[in-house]
Every structure is written in structure tokens, then in C-alpha cells.
Amino acid sequence: MERIELKTPSREIVIESLREGFEYHSVKVDESFLNNAVDRIDGVAGWLTYLGLRVVSKGYADPAIINEVLEEASNIAVNEFCHFVNAMGSKRYVEIMKAVGEEEASCSEIKEVSRA
């Protein structure tokens, strides 16, 4: 087995990559759109790429497109988690994820939920 470590590109590199992609396709975007996209999509390359595709296909940058991409990402994540729970045959995973999602949950509390 070999381990490959991928470094997350800096915020500046991500913004510059988006900017260059939009320039290549002659779509004008302002800095606030780029910053908002990177902040809200949290630098996730696949979703930023999808955002770029959506903006280029529409021909303009609108903050609503960021919301659409986040909504779609959220729906996919929920559906995948539901498929996972159904495949594993246990609702215990739902309780574990609820504990993980709580800001105050400690590692020991999450372990306790997983044993229940």
C-alpha cells in the first residue's frame, strides 16, 4: 500500500483558478462573487468546478447559482447517507451522525452513541 498526500491549494490559488476559467470562457465575475463562492463552498474542488460549469453555462455569475450548487450538494449528501444507512441496515448511524453534528459532542459521547 502506498500513501499519497494531496495538499489543499491555498485560497488565492483557488480564486485565481476560478478567475482564469471564467476569463477563458469570457464570463465576467467580480471579486465578491469569487470570495463568496470559495467561502461558502469551503474550497471543495469538485463543487467549485461544478459551480464554474453552471456559471459558464448560464453565461453570467449570480450569487443564486452558489445557493443552487450548495442545495444540490446537500441533497446528494443526504441521499448518499440514506443509501448508506439502508445498505448497513442500522439506524444507529443516524444517531452517530446526529452526535457528530452537535457542536458540544465530545469524542467519548460519540463513542457512547456508537455502542448503543
Side-chain angles (χ1 to χ4, degrees):
M1 183 167 84
E2 190 170 329
R3 184 178 183 151
I4 300 172
E5 290 188 39
L6 300 176
K7 294 182 181 182
T8 304
S10 70
R11 175 184 180 78
E12 293 76 23
I13 289 173
V14 171
I15 289 173
E16 185 58 28
S17 296
L18 284 170
R19 185 183 299 113
E20 286 178 9
F22 293 134
E23 285 175 6
Y24 179 82
H25 290 282
S26 302
V27 176
K28 294 187 182 213
V29 295
D30 59 28
E31 290 302 308
S32 65
F33 178 85
L34 294 171
N35 284 306
N36 189 24
V38 173
D39 288 343
R40 296 200 48 221
I41 299 176
D42 199 24
V44 177
W47 290 113
L48 288 167
T49 301
Y50 184 63
L51 172 74
L53 174 67
R54 296 285 301 269
V55 169
V56 168
S57 69
K58 290 188 179 213
Y60 60 91
D62 183 329
I65 299 171
I66 298 170
N67 294 336
E68 293 168 8
V69 168
L70 288 170
E71 183 70 26
E72 191 164 344
S74 176
N75 289 337
I76 289 172
V78 167
N79 286 333
E80 288 300 315
F81 181 68
C82 289
H83 289 302
F84 170 76
V85 168
N86 287 333
M88 297 306 289
S90 172
K91 301 295 180 196
R92 179 179 73 165
Y93 293 103
V94 173
E95 297 305 317
I96 292 169
M97 290 307 293
K98 283 181 186 175
V100 168
E102 293 177 9
E103 291 181 30
E104 303 291 323
S106 66
C107 287
S108 58
E109 290 169 331
I110 294 167
K111 285 181 184 177
E112 188 63 34
V113 170
S114 71
R115 292 184 193 131

